[in-house]
Amino acid sequence: MLSRRPCAVLGVVAGLAVLLAGCRSPERPAPAPGPVRPDWREVTLPVPPGAAGRLVLRDAAACGGRWFVVGAVADAAGGTRPAAWSSADGVSWSALPVRGESFYGRQHVLYAVACRDGRIAALGAKNGGVHGNPRTGTWVQRPDGSVREVPAGFELFGGQRAVAASRLAAGPGGWLIAGARVDGAAVWTSPDASGFVILEGVPELAGDGRGRTAAYDAVAGPSGWLVVGSLLPAGGAALAPLAWTSADGRAWRRAELPTPDGRGRAQRVVLLDGEPVAVGPVRDGFAAWRPAAAGPVGESSPSGPPAGSGRAAQWRRVGGFGAAGPGVLSVVGLAAVGRRLVAVTGDGAGRRLWASADGGASWRAVTLPGPAAVPDSGDTALAVAGGEDRLLLLADDGGASHAWWAPPPLTDR
């Protein structure tokens, strides 16, 4: 604010500059908030019975009053066997009995997990064969607590049409895997995770004359499914973010997610207070999107297009964070922790953690535990899972895996 008294003019330029500065009291913008510094507490997961090896922790989930972690045990020669753990409090853990049925299944690394009613299903894979492609399969927890491989034909996840089986979701309507085949985004569905059916080439979900699609993640609500992914436009070179909704997993509606230049990917999605929030990389960092009008997952909003129109409700970008890095940007994890969001990103240099307390509008960096620096590469992992009162963090730097939890609700020390 300018003083009401005129400032005396000085003959020395330097003095004038000083005086003018003294005559102003501009309101300075508030400094950017510093990083969130949780009170991380490390937990120990036991090595499952069998040959000695190091733990390879890949994903976690919580439901029905229990926490779950999946991954593998790796020996010194690089061989792996699938592994899973469970805990009632996130602090004391026990290894679950795991049984593979196939040659590759007995070598799987379980890389994605979902749970419903205190029971899990998981995706596992091991590279093999002439071309070294992933040999992917599903796993389900039996009533006796053991986790067993689900026998399946090779073409269900593999074969010449295979691209990726990315993430697994569970909800009232059953279980759904989001991924891609050669003709674009695809899903696999099951009522009980004891056997999946593939749905590929589905109108609006798969690629068409508009371009090729891919699905990366999914979430379930009381009214159906929401899948997020991307579109590579016909003749284009940059991906654009998409979302799809379905009441039954068979008929899908497509929606574009807004970005200033049309570029980006929606790579992760969770429910926050019953409403979906999607997060993904855009040209200059990372973006968060929410539906333009709140409505049940799987349905259009009241102002959206009617059923059968082939389109979903519109979305809006609610916030952004981070910046472009030295490599390809990615969002590799997203969790709801009470009323907060926690995202895991990669920028080519390393994996990082971010938190939002306002539904994705603003974000703060989250400090990792001292030994949790994780390079951004395919042999490493940084994963999160959230409950009402705590965050579980898994980190694998390619040489060792660790797990920590942060008490409620990610407050600073």
Side-chain angles (χ1 to χ4, degrees):
M1 180 181 295
L2 294 176
S3 173
R4 293 184 179 180
R5 292 186 178 182
C7 295
V9 178
L10 300 182
V12 182
V13 173
L16 177 61
V18 172
L19 184 58
L20 288 177
C23 292
R24 294 180 175 88
S25 300
E27 292 186 4
R28 295 181 179 180
V36 178
R37 300 180 181 275
D39 183 17
W40 293 112
R41 303 177 187 182
E42 188 166 6
V43 297
T44 300
L45 277 65
V47 177
R54 81 170 188 90
L55 302 188
V56 177
L57 307 181
R58 285 296 179 263
D59 199 18
C63 71
R66 298 202 66 83
W67 294 79
F68 299 93
V69 168
V70 298
V73 178
D75 60 29
T80 56
R81 69 180 193 271
W85 296 263
S86 177
S87 172
D89 58 8
V91 178
S92 300
W93 292 82
S94 59
L96 295 172
V98 177
R99 179 179 174 181
E101 302 288 344
S102 67
F103 173 76
Y104 285 110
R106 290 188 288 273
Q107 305 175 65
H108 270 182
V109 175
L110 305 185
Y111 63 89
V113 65
C115 65
R116 188 183 72 174
D117 302 326
R119 186 173 69 94
I120 64 168
L123 288 169
K126 181 70 174 182
N127 290 351
V130 176
H131 302 290
N133 293 326
R135 299 308 198 226
T136 304
T138 63
W139 297 71
V140 65
Q141 188 175 18
R142 304 296 186 185
D144 64 2
S146 65
V147 180
R148 298 194 179 189
E149 182 186 5
V150 178
F154 174 69
E155 297 289 336
L156 182 62
F157 297 105
Q160 295 182 351
R161 298 185 57 78
V163 175
S166 299
R167 299 288 298 170
L168 179 65
W175 304 75
L176 181 141
I177 299 168
R181 303 286 275 181
V182 293
D183 55 3
V187 297
W188 293 255
T189 61
S190 174
D192 55 10
S194 64
F196 283 83
V197 174
I198 187 171
L199 296 165
E200 57 182 323
V202 177
E204 291 298 303
L205 182 64
D208 52 28
R210 292 167 288 181
R212 182 176 175 178
T213 58
Y216 307 128
D217 199 9
V219 70
S223 300
W225 300 101
L226 170 68
V227 169
V228 296
S230 67
L231 167 74
L232 178 61
L239 297 171
L242 289 182
W244 297 267
T245 54
S246 174
D248 57 8
R250 295 181 176 276
W252 293 85
R253 298 166 175 165
R254 181 188 298 193
E256 299 176 359
L257 277 59
T259 61
D261 58 4
R263 300 181 181 184
R265 289 172 290 164
Q267 287 187 307
R268 290 292 184 268
V269 63
V270 294
L271 293 184
L272 183 67
D273 293 331
E275 185 178 338
V277 182
V279 179
V282 291
R283 188 173 187 178
D284 57 352
F286 304 95
W289 298 274
R290 303 184 75 153
V297 172
E299 295 182 0
S300 296
S301 67
S303 59
S309 66
R311 297 182 61 194
Q314 292 184 343
W315 289 64
R316 59 191 174 94
R317 179 174 173 174
V318 295
F321 60 100
V328 176
L329 300 180
S330 62
V331 176
V332 296
L334 184 64
V337 186
R339 300 182 64 86
R340 291 181 181 240
L341 294 168
V342 178
V344 181
T345 64
D347 61 5
R351 302 278 172 89
R352 309 182 192 283
L353 207 59
W354 305 83
S356 173
D358 54 12
S362 62
W363 296 77
R364 293 171 64 186
V366 179
T367 59
L368 295 172
V374 176
D376 188 13
S377 71
D379 295 329
T380 65
L382 192 64
V384 289
E388 285 299 321
D389 63 349
R390 69 182 61 187
L391 171 72
L392 179 65
L393 173 71
L394 311 178
D396 188 329
D397 62 6
S401 281
H402 298 272
W404 295 266
W405 65 270
L410 277 183
T411 51
D412 295 340
R413 285 187 290 183

